Short mmCIF file of all heavy atoms in Angstrom, two decimals:
data_model
loop_
_atom_site.label_atom_id
_atom_site.label_comp_id
_atom_site.label_asym_id
_atom_site.label_seq_id
_atom_site.Cartn_x
_atom_site.Cartn_y
_atom_site.Cartn_z
N MET A 1 -10.64 -2.49 8.99
CA MET A 1 -9.21 -2.18 8.90
C MET A 1 -8.98 -1.04 7.93
O MET A 1 -9.70 -0.89 6.95
CB MET A 1 -8.44 -3.42 8.42
CG MET A 1 -8.54 -4.63 9.32
SD MET A 1 -7.77 -4.40 10.91
CE MET A 1 -6.05 -4.74 10.50
N ARG A 2 -7.97 -0.28 8.22
CA ARG A 2 -7.56 0.79 7.32
C ARG A 2 -6.09 0.58 6.97
O ARG A 2 -5.32 0.08 7.78
CB ARG A 2 -7.67 2.15 8.01
CG ARG A 2 -9.06 2.69 8.06
CD ARG A 2 -9.09 4.09 8.61
NE ARG A 2 -8.49 4.20 9.95
CZ ARG A 2 -7.64 5.14 10.30
NH1 ARG A 2 -7.26 6.05 9.42
NH2 ARG A 2 -7.15 5.20 11.52
N VAL A 3 -5.72 1.01 5.78
CA VAL A 3 -4.32 0.93 5.37
C VAL A 3 -3.70 2.32 5.52
O VAL A 3 -4.27 3.31 5.07
CB VAL A 3 -4.19 0.47 3.91
CG1 VAL A 3 -2.73 0.33 3.53
CG2 VAL A 3 -4.91 -0.84 3.70
N LEU A 4 -2.56 2.36 6.14
CA LEU A 4 -1.82 3.61 6.28
C LEU A 4 -0.49 3.48 5.56
O LEU A 4 0.09 2.42 5.51
CB LEU A 4 -1.55 3.93 7.75
CG LEU A 4 -2.76 4.12 8.66
CD1 LEU A 4 -2.30 4.41 10.07
CD2 LEU A 4 -3.64 5.24 8.14
N ALA A 5 -0.03 4.60 5.01
CA ALA A 5 1.28 4.61 4.36
C ALA A 5 2.17 5.64 5.05
O ALA A 5 1.74 6.76 5.29
CB ALA A 5 1.13 4.95 2.88
N ASP A 6 3.37 5.23 5.36
CA ASP A 6 4.37 6.15 5.88
C ASP A 6 5.19 6.64 4.68
O ASP A 6 6.04 5.92 4.15
CB ASP A 6 5.27 5.43 6.89
CG ASP A 6 6.28 6.38 7.52
OD1 ASP A 6 6.60 7.41 6.89
OD2 ASP A 6 6.75 6.08 8.63
N LEU A 7 4.89 7.86 4.25
CA LEU A 7 5.52 8.36 3.02
C LEU A 7 6.99 8.66 3.20
O LEU A 7 7.72 8.82 2.22
CB LEU A 7 4.75 9.58 2.50
CG LEU A 7 3.30 9.29 2.08
CD1 LEU A 7 2.64 10.55 1.55
CD2 LEU A 7 3.21 8.16 1.08
N ASP A 8 7.45 8.76 4.45
CA ASP A 8 8.89 8.91 4.66
C ASP A 8 9.63 7.62 4.31
O ASP A 8 10.79 7.64 3.94
CB ASP A 8 9.20 9.28 6.12
CG ASP A 8 8.75 10.70 6.44
OD1 ASP A 8 8.68 11.52 5.49
OD2 ASP A 8 8.45 10.98 7.61
N LEU A 9 8.92 6.49 4.48
CA LEU A 9 9.55 5.19 4.20
C LEU A 9 9.35 4.76 2.75
O LEU A 9 10.17 4.04 2.19
CB LEU A 9 8.96 4.11 5.12
CG LEU A 9 9.31 4.21 6.59
CD1 LEU A 9 8.59 3.12 7.38
CD2 LEU A 9 10.82 4.07 6.79
N CYS A 10 8.25 5.17 2.13
CA CYS A 10 7.94 4.73 0.77
C CYS A 10 9.00 5.20 -0.21
O CYS A 10 9.38 6.36 -0.22
CB CYS A 10 6.58 5.28 0.35
SG CYS A 10 6.16 4.87 -1.35
N GLN A 11 9.48 4.26 -1.01
CA GLN A 11 10.48 4.61 -2.02
C GLN A 11 9.97 4.37 -3.43
O GLN A 11 10.76 4.30 -4.38
CB GLN A 11 11.77 3.81 -1.77
CG GLN A 11 12.44 4.20 -0.46
CD GLN A 11 13.70 3.40 -0.18
OE1 GLN A 11 14.13 2.61 -1.01
NE2 GLN A 11 14.27 3.62 0.98
N GLY A 12 8.66 4.19 -3.55
CA GLY A 12 8.06 4.10 -4.88
C GLY A 12 8.36 2.83 -5.64
O GLY A 12 8.35 2.82 -6.87
N HIS A 13 8.62 1.74 -4.92
CA HIS A 13 8.93 0.47 -5.60
C HIS A 13 7.74 -0.10 -6.37
O HIS A 13 7.92 -0.92 -7.25
CB HIS A 13 9.39 -0.59 -4.59
CG HIS A 13 10.66 -0.24 -3.90
ND1 HIS A 13 11.86 -0.17 -4.55
CD2 HIS A 13 10.91 0.08 -2.61
CE1 HIS A 13 12.81 0.16 -3.69
NE2 HIS A 13 12.25 0.32 -2.51
N ALA A 14 6.53 0.27 -5.93
CA ALA A 14 5.29 -0.15 -6.59
C ALA A 14 4.97 -1.63 -6.45
O ALA A 14 4.16 -2.16 -7.19
CB ALA A 14 5.26 0.26 -8.07
N VAL A 15 5.62 -2.29 -5.51
CA VAL A 15 5.22 -3.67 -5.22
C VAL A 15 3.75 -3.70 -4.81
O VAL A 15 2.98 -4.57 -5.21
CB VAL A 15 6.09 -4.26 -4.09
CG1 VAL A 15 5.59 -5.64 -3.68
CG2 VAL A 15 7.55 -4.33 -4.54
N CYS A 16 3.35 -2.71 -4.05
CA CYS A 16 1.96 -2.66 -3.58
C CYS A 16 1.00 -2.57 -4.76
O CYS A 16 -0.04 -3.23 -4.80
CB CYS A 16 1.76 -1.50 -2.62
SG CYS A 16 2.29 0.09 -3.27
N GLN A 17 1.34 -1.76 -5.73
CA GLN A 17 0.48 -1.60 -6.91
C GLN A 17 0.43 -2.91 -7.70
O GLN A 17 -0.62 -3.29 -8.22
CB GLN A 17 1.02 -0.47 -7.78
CG GLN A 17 0.19 -0.19 -9.01
CD GLN A 17 0.76 0.96 -9.80
OE1 GLN A 17 0.31 2.08 -9.69
NE2 GLN A 17 1.79 0.69 -10.57
N ASP A 18 1.53 -3.63 -7.78
CA ASP A 18 1.54 -4.92 -8.47
C ASP A 18 0.63 -5.92 -7.75
O ASP A 18 -0.07 -6.69 -8.39
CB ASP A 18 2.96 -5.49 -8.54
CG ASP A 18 3.85 -4.68 -9.47
OD1 ASP A 18 3.30 -3.90 -10.27
OD2 ASP A 18 5.07 -4.84 -9.39
N GLU A 19 0.67 -5.89 -6.43
CA GLU A 19 -0.13 -6.86 -5.66
C GLU A 19 -1.61 -6.50 -5.64
O GLU A 19 -2.46 -7.38 -5.68
CB GLU A 19 0.39 -6.94 -4.22
CG GLU A 19 1.79 -7.50 -4.07
CD GLU A 19 1.86 -9.00 -4.40
OE1 GLU A 19 0.82 -9.66 -4.43
OE2 GLU A 19 2.98 -9.49 -4.62
N ALA A 20 -1.91 -5.22 -5.54
CA ALA A 20 -3.30 -4.79 -5.39
C ALA A 20 -3.53 -3.51 -6.19
O ALA A 20 -3.65 -2.41 -5.63
CB ALA A 20 -3.62 -4.57 -3.90
N PRO A 21 -3.63 -3.64 -7.51
CA PRO A 21 -3.73 -2.44 -8.35
C PRO A 21 -5.01 -1.63 -8.12
O PRO A 21 -5.04 -0.45 -8.45
CB PRO A 21 -3.68 -3.00 -9.78
CG PRO A 21 -3.86 -4.46 -9.66
CD PRO A 21 -3.53 -4.87 -8.27
N ASP A 22 -6.04 -2.25 -7.57
CA ASP A 22 -7.25 -1.49 -7.28
C ASP A 22 -7.11 -0.62 -6.03
O ASP A 22 -7.90 0.28 -5.81
CB ASP A 22 -8.44 -2.44 -7.05
CG ASP A 22 -8.83 -3.16 -8.33
OD1 ASP A 22 -8.45 -2.68 -9.42
OD2 ASP A 22 -9.49 -4.21 -8.23
N ALA A 23 -6.13 -0.95 -5.23
CA ALA A 23 -6.03 -0.30 -3.92
C ALA A 23 -4.90 0.71 -3.83
O ALA A 23 -4.95 1.64 -3.01
CB ALA A 23 -5.85 -1.36 -2.84
N PHE A 24 -3.87 0.53 -4.66
CA PHE A 24 -2.70 1.41 -4.57
C PHE A 24 -2.31 1.89 -5.95
O PHE A 24 -2.38 1.15 -6.93
CB PHE A 24 -1.51 0.66 -3.96
CG PHE A 24 -1.78 0.09 -2.62
CD1 PHE A 24 -2.11 -1.26 -2.47
CD2 PHE A 24 -1.75 0.88 -1.49
CE1 PHE A 24 -2.40 -1.80 -1.24
CE2 PHE A 24 -2.03 0.35 -0.24
CZ PHE A 24 -2.35 -0.99 -0.12
N ARG A 25 -1.87 3.15 -6.00
CA ARG A 25 -1.34 3.68 -7.25
C ARG A 25 -0.01 4.34 -6.93
O ARG A 25 0.12 5.04 -5.93
CB ARG A 25 -2.30 4.71 -7.84
CG ARG A 25 -2.04 4.98 -9.31
CD ARG A 25 -3.16 5.83 -9.86
NE ARG A 25 -2.96 7.23 -9.48
CZ ARG A 25 -2.19 8.07 -10.15
NH1 ARG A 25 -1.58 7.66 -11.25
NH2 ARG A 25 -2.03 9.31 -9.75
N VAL A 26 0.96 4.08 -7.76
CA VAL A 26 2.28 4.67 -7.53
C VAL A 26 2.71 5.37 -8.80
O VAL A 26 3.04 4.72 -9.80
CB VAL A 26 3.32 3.59 -7.13
CG1 VAL A 26 4.64 4.25 -6.79
CG2 VAL A 26 2.82 2.76 -5.96
N PRO A 27 2.68 6.69 -8.81
CA PRO A 27 3.11 7.41 -10.00
C PRO A 27 4.59 7.22 -10.25
O PRO A 27 5.35 6.93 -9.32
CB PRO A 27 2.81 8.87 -9.68
CG PRO A 27 2.29 8.92 -8.30
CD PRO A 27 2.32 7.55 -7.71
N LYS A 28 4.99 7.39 -11.50
CA LYS A 28 6.42 7.29 -11.83
C LYS A 28 7.22 8.25 -10.96
O LYS A 28 6.88 9.43 -10.86
CB LYS A 28 6.63 7.66 -13.30
CG LYS A 28 6.64 6.47 -14.21
CD LYS A 28 7.48 6.77 -15.45
CE LYS A 28 7.67 5.49 -16.23
NZ LYS A 28 6.89 5.43 -17.44
N ARG A 29 8.23 7.74 -10.34
CA ARG A 29 9.09 8.52 -9.45
C ARG A 29 8.31 9.22 -8.34
O ARG A 29 8.72 10.24 -7.80
CB ARG A 29 9.90 9.57 -10.24
CG ARG A 29 11.01 8.94 -11.06
CD ARG A 29 11.88 9.99 -11.71
NE ARG A 29 11.19 10.70 -12.77
CZ ARG A 29 11.04 10.23 -14.02
NH1 ARG A 29 11.56 9.08 -14.35
NH2 ARG A 29 10.39 10.92 -14.91
N GLY A 30 7.14 8.64 -8.00
CA GLY A 30 6.34 9.23 -6.93
C GLY A 30 6.21 8.28 -5.76
O GLY A 30 6.91 7.28 -5.68
N LYS A 31 5.31 8.62 -4.88
CA LYS A 31 5.07 7.79 -3.71
C LYS A 31 3.65 7.26 -3.75
O LYS A 31 2.81 7.77 -4.47
CB LYS A 31 5.31 8.60 -2.44
CG LYS A 31 6.76 9.07 -2.38
CD LYS A 31 7.19 9.50 -1.02
CE LYS A 31 8.69 9.80 -1.06
NZ LYS A 31 9.25 9.95 0.27
N VAL A 32 3.43 6.25 -2.95
CA VAL A 32 2.17 5.52 -3.01
C VAL A 32 0.97 6.42 -2.71
O VAL A 32 1.03 7.30 -1.86
CB VAL A 32 2.21 4.33 -2.03
CG1 VAL A 32 2.31 4.79 -0.59
CG2 VAL A 32 1.00 3.43 -2.23
N GLU A 33 -0.10 6.18 -3.46
CA GLU A 33 -1.38 6.80 -3.15
C GLU A 33 -2.34 5.67 -2.80
O GLU A 33 -2.44 4.69 -3.53
CB GLU A 33 -1.92 7.56 -4.37
CG GLU A 33 -1.07 8.73 -4.77
CD GLU A 33 -1.44 9.27 -6.15
OE1 GLU A 33 -2.50 8.87 -6.69
OE2 GLU A 33 -0.66 10.07 -6.68
N ILE A 34 -3.00 5.83 -1.69
CA ILE A 34 -3.97 4.81 -1.27
C ILE A 34 -5.32 5.17 -1.88
O ILE A 34 -5.84 6.26 -1.66
CB ILE A 34 -4.04 4.73 0.26
CG1 ILE A 34 -2.67 4.29 0.79
CG2 ILE A 34 -5.12 3.75 0.69
CD1 ILE A 34 -2.59 4.21 2.28
N LEU A 35 -5.84 4.26 -2.68
CA LEU A 35 -7.08 4.53 -3.41
C LEU A 35 -8.30 4.17 -2.55
O LEU A 35 -8.19 3.48 -1.54
CB LEU A 35 -7.11 3.73 -4.71
CG LEU A 35 -5.91 3.95 -5.65
CD1 LEU A 35 -6.06 3.08 -6.89
CD2 LEU A 35 -5.80 5.42 -6.03
N GLU A 36 -9.41 4.67 -3.03
CA GLU A 36 -10.69 4.42 -2.35
C GLU A 36 -10.89 2.94 -2.00
O GLU A 36 -11.36 2.60 -0.93
CB GLU A 36 -11.81 4.89 -3.28
CG GLU A 36 -13.12 5.16 -2.62
CD GLU A 36 -13.13 6.52 -1.93
OE1 GLU A 36 -12.12 7.26 -1.98
OE2 GLU A 36 -14.15 6.83 -1.35
N ALA A 37 -10.52 2.07 -2.94
CA ALA A 37 -10.78 0.64 -2.77
C ALA A 37 -10.02 0.05 -1.59
O ALA A 37 -10.40 -1.01 -1.08
CB ALA A 37 -10.41 -0.11 -4.05
N ALA A 38 -8.96 0.72 -1.15
CA ALA A 38 -8.20 0.19 -0.02
C ALA A 38 -8.85 0.53 1.31
O ALA A 38 -8.57 -0.10 2.33
CB ALA A 38 -6.78 0.73 -0.04
N ALA A 39 -9.71 1.52 1.30
CA ALA A 39 -10.34 1.94 2.54
C ALA A 39 -11.25 0.82 3.04
O ALA A 39 -12.09 0.32 2.30
CB ALA A 39 -11.14 3.21 2.33
N GLY A 40 -11.06 0.44 4.26
CA GLY A 40 -11.90 -0.59 4.84
C GLY A 40 -11.65 -1.97 4.27
O GLY A 40 -12.43 -2.89 4.51
N SER A 41 -10.59 -2.13 3.52
CA SER A 41 -10.35 -3.41 2.88
C SER A 41 -9.34 -4.23 3.65
O SER A 41 -8.35 -3.71 4.14
CB SER A 41 -9.82 -3.20 1.47
OG SER A 41 -9.45 -4.44 0.92
N SER A 42 -9.62 -5.50 3.76
CA SER A 42 -8.58 -6.40 4.27
C SER A 42 -8.51 -7.60 3.33
O SER A 42 -8.36 -8.73 3.76
CB SER A 42 -8.89 -6.82 5.71
OG SER A 42 -10.17 -7.40 5.77
N SER A 43 -8.68 -7.33 2.06
CA SER A 43 -8.64 -8.40 1.06
C SER A 43 -7.25 -9.03 1.04
O SER A 43 -6.27 -8.45 1.51
CB SER A 43 -8.95 -7.84 -0.32
OG SER A 43 -7.89 -7.03 -0.76
N ALA A 44 -7.18 -10.23 0.47
CA ALA A 44 -5.91 -10.93 0.39
C ALA A 44 -4.88 -10.10 -0.37
O ALA A 44 -3.71 -10.05 0.00
CB ALA A 44 -6.11 -12.28 -0.28
N GLU A 45 -5.34 -9.41 -1.42
CA GLU A 45 -4.41 -8.60 -2.23
C GLU A 45 -3.83 -7.46 -1.39
O GLU A 45 -2.63 -7.21 -1.43
CB GLU A 45 -5.13 -8.00 -3.45
CG GLU A 45 -5.51 -9.00 -4.51
CD GLU A 45 -6.83 -9.70 -4.22
OE1 GLU A 45 -7.49 -9.35 -3.20
OE2 GLU A 45 -7.20 -10.58 -5.00
N VAL A 46 -4.69 -6.79 -0.66
CA VAL A 46 -4.22 -5.66 0.14
C VAL A 46 -3.27 -6.17 1.24
O VAL A 46 -2.22 -5.57 1.50
CB VAL A 46 -5.40 -4.88 0.74
CG1 VAL A 46 -4.92 -3.87 1.79
CG2 VAL A 46 -6.17 -4.16 -0.37
N ARG A 47 -3.62 -7.29 1.84
CA ARG A 47 -2.74 -7.83 2.89
C ARG A 47 -1.39 -8.24 2.32
O ARG A 47 -0.35 -8.04 2.94
CB ARG A 47 -3.41 -8.98 3.63
CG ARG A 47 -4.40 -8.46 4.65
CD ARG A 47 -4.98 -9.54 5.53
NE ARG A 47 -6.15 -10.12 4.87
CZ ARG A 47 -6.25 -11.40 4.54
NH1 ARG A 47 -5.29 -12.25 4.82
NH2 ARG A 47 -7.33 -11.84 3.95
N ARG A 48 -1.39 -8.79 1.10
CA ARG A 48 -0.11 -9.14 0.47
C ARG A 48 0.71 -7.89 0.19
O ARG A 48 1.92 -7.87 0.38
CB ARG A 48 -0.35 -9.88 -0.84
CG ARG A 48 -0.42 -11.37 -0.69
CD ARG A 48 -0.09 -12.10 -1.98
NE ARG A 48 -0.90 -11.64 -3.11
CZ ARG A 48 -2.12 -12.09 -3.38
NH1 ARG A 48 -2.66 -13.02 -2.64
NH2 ARG A 48 -2.79 -11.62 -4.41
N ALA A 49 0.06 -6.84 -0.27
CA ALA A 49 0.77 -5.60 -0.56
C ALA A 49 1.44 -5.06 0.70
O ALA A 49 2.59 -4.64 0.68
CB ALA A 49 -0.21 -4.56 -1.13
N VAL A 50 0.71 -5.10 1.81
CA VAL A 50 1.27 -4.62 3.07
C VAL A 50 2.47 -5.48 3.47
O VAL A 50 3.52 -4.98 3.85
CB VAL A 50 0.19 -4.64 4.18
CG1 VAL A 50 0.81 -4.37 5.55
CG2 VAL A 50 -0.91 -3.62 3.86
N ARG A 51 2.32 -6.79 3.31
CA ARG A 51 3.38 -7.71 3.74
C ARG A 51 4.63 -7.57 2.88
O ARG A 51 5.75 -7.65 3.38
CB ARG A 51 2.86 -9.15 3.69
CG ARG A 51 3.84 -10.14 4.26
CD ARG A 51 3.27 -11.55 4.38
NE ARG A 51 1.83 -11.60 4.58
CZ ARG A 51 1.01 -12.41 3.89
NH1 ARG A 51 1.48 -13.23 2.99
NH2 ARG A 51 -0.26 -12.40 4.14
N TYR A 52 4.45 -7.36 1.60
CA TYR A 52 5.60 -7.41 0.69
C TYR A 52 6.22 -6.06 0.37
O TYR A 52 7.19 -5.99 -0.37
CB TYR A 52 5.21 -8.14 -0.60
CG TYR A 52 4.87 -9.59 -0.38
CD1 TYR A 52 3.75 -10.16 -0.95
CD2 TYR A 52 5.70 -10.38 0.43
CE1 TYR A 52 3.44 -11.50 -0.72
CE2 TYR A 52 5.39 -11.71 0.65
CZ TYR A 52 4.26 -12.26 0.07
OH TYR A 52 3.96 -13.58 0.30
N CYS A 53 5.66 -5.01 0.90
CA CYS A 53 6.31 -3.70 0.69
C CYS A 53 7.75 -3.78 1.20
O CYS A 53 7.98 -4.09 2.37
CB CYS A 53 5.57 -2.60 1.45
SG CYS A 53 6.50 -1.06 1.48
N PRO A 54 8.73 -3.52 0.33
CA PRO A 54 10.13 -3.73 0.74
C PRO A 54 10.61 -2.79 1.83
O PRO A 54 11.60 -3.09 2.50
CB PRO A 54 10.92 -3.52 -0.56
CG PRO A 54 10.00 -2.90 -1.53
CD PRO A 54 8.60 -3.15 -1.08
N THR A 55 9.95 -1.68 2.01
CA THR A 55 10.40 -0.76 3.06
C THR A 55 9.45 -0.75 4.26
O THR A 55 9.59 0.08 5.15
CB THR A 55 10.53 0.67 2.51
OG1 THR A 55 9.22 1.11 2.11
CG2 THR A 55 11.48 0.74 1.34
N GLN A 56 8.47 -1.64 4.24
CA GLN A 56 7.47 -1.71 5.31
C GLN A 56 6.81 -0.36 5.56
O GLN A 56 6.60 0.06 6.70
CB GLN A 56 8.10 -2.27 6.59
CG GLN A 56 8.42 -3.74 6.38
CD GLN A 56 9.30 -4.34 7.45
OE1 GLN A 56 9.73 -3.65 8.38
NE2 GLN A 56 9.59 -5.61 7.30
N ALA A 57 6.51 0.31 4.46
CA ALA A 57 5.86 1.62 4.57
C ALA A 57 4.35 1.51 4.82
O ALA A 57 3.73 2.48 5.22
CB ALA A 57 6.10 2.42 3.28
N LEU A 58 3.81 0.33 4.55
CA LEU A 58 2.36 0.16 4.69
C LEU A 58 2.03 -0.58 5.98
O LEU A 58 2.76 -1.47 6.39
CB LEU A 58 1.81 -0.65 3.50
CG LEU A 58 2.01 -0.02 2.12
CD1 LEU A 58 1.54 -0.98 1.04
CD2 LEU A 58 1.28 1.31 2.02
N SER A 59 0.94 -0.18 6.58
CA SER A 59 0.49 -0.92 7.76
C SER A 59 -1.03 -0.92 7.78
O SER A 59 -1.68 -0.07 7.15
CB SER A 59 1.04 -0.29 9.04
OG SER A 59 0.71 1.08 9.08
N MET A 60 -1.57 -1.89 8.48
CA MET A 60 -3.02 -1.97 8.63
C MET A 60 -3.36 -1.70 10.08
O MET A 60 -2.74 -2.25 10.98
CB MET A 60 -3.52 -3.36 8.22
CG MET A 60 -3.23 -3.64 6.77
SD MET A 60 -4.03 -5.13 6.16
CE MET A 60 -5.65 -4.49 5.81
N VAL A 61 -4.34 -0.84 10.27
CA VAL A 61 -4.76 -0.53 11.64
C VAL A 61 -6.26 -0.76 11.74
O VAL A 61 -6.99 -0.63 10.76
CB VAL A 61 -4.42 0.93 12.03
CG1 VAL A 61 -2.92 1.13 12.05
CG2 VAL A 61 -5.08 1.91 11.09
N ALA A 62 -6.69 -1.09 12.93
CA ALA A 62 -8.12 -1.31 13.15
C ALA A 62 -8.85 0.03 13.10
O ALA A 62 -8.31 1.07 13.50
CB ALA A 62 -8.32 -1.96 14.50
N ASP A 63 -10.06 0.00 12.56
CA ASP A 63 -10.88 1.20 12.59
C ASP A 63 -11.22 1.52 14.04
O ASP A 63 -11.36 0.64 14.87
CB ASP A 63 -12.18 0.97 11.81
CG ASP A 63 -11.92 0.92 10.32
OD1 ASP A 63 -11.15 1.76 9.84
OD2 ASP A 63 -12.48 0.04 9.65
N ASP A 64 -11.36 2.80 14.31
CA ASP A 64 -11.71 3.21 15.69
C ASP A 64 -13.14 2.80 16.01
O ASP A 64 -13.98 2.78 15.17
CB ASP A 64 -11.55 4.72 15.84
CG ASP A 64 -10.10 5.13 15.62
OD1 ASP A 64 -9.21 4.31 15.91
OD2 ASP A 64 -9.89 6.27 15.16
S1 LIG B 1 5.59 -1.16 -2.14
FE1 LIG B 1 6.02 0.11 -0.36
S2 LIG B 1 7.76 1.36 -0.97
FE2 LIG B 1 6.84 0.53 -2.81
S3 LIG B 1 5.40 2.09 -3.51
FE3 LIG B 1 4.28 0.63 -2.26
S4 LIG B 1 4.32 1.54 -0.22
FE4 LIG B 1 5.92 2.53 -1.40
#
């Protein structure tokens, strides 16, 4: 699985960073950055981050 972020939807709430700090970084007044650790990850933390993003900017897609 891969995590994708729709930066048009991201509003920098940083819920994702709170849920999975190894996988997401959100700079102050910035938008989400998907870190190396999120690549290929379907850990419980990453899945929670995707689920709880308030703007549903994150999604998980199957690797090709
Ligand atoms: S929780 Fe969603 S809106 Fe907030 S920074 Fe993460 S991706 Fe963006």
Side-chain angles (χ1 to χ4, degrees):
M1 299 294 278
R2 281 186 303 134
V3 183
L4 299 180
D6 183 336
L7 296 182
D8 290 334
L9 291 177
C10 176
Q11 294 179 5
H13 296 293
V15 174
C16 53
Q17 182 178 261
D18 291 344
E19 294 290 344
D22 292 341
F24 303 99
R25 198 171 79 85
V26 185
K28 265 207 170 106
R29 287 186 290 279
K31 298 197 174 193
V32 65
E33 295 167 12
I34 297 178
L35 305 179
E36 200 80 0
S41 173
S42 55
S43 70
E45 290 84 3
V46 169
R47 281 187 273 120
R48 270 203 307 275
V50 170
R51 186 172 331 133
Y52 295 134
C53 169
T55 64
Q56 291 168 358
L58 299 175
S59 54
M60 298 189 82
V61 295
D63 288 317
D64 297 331

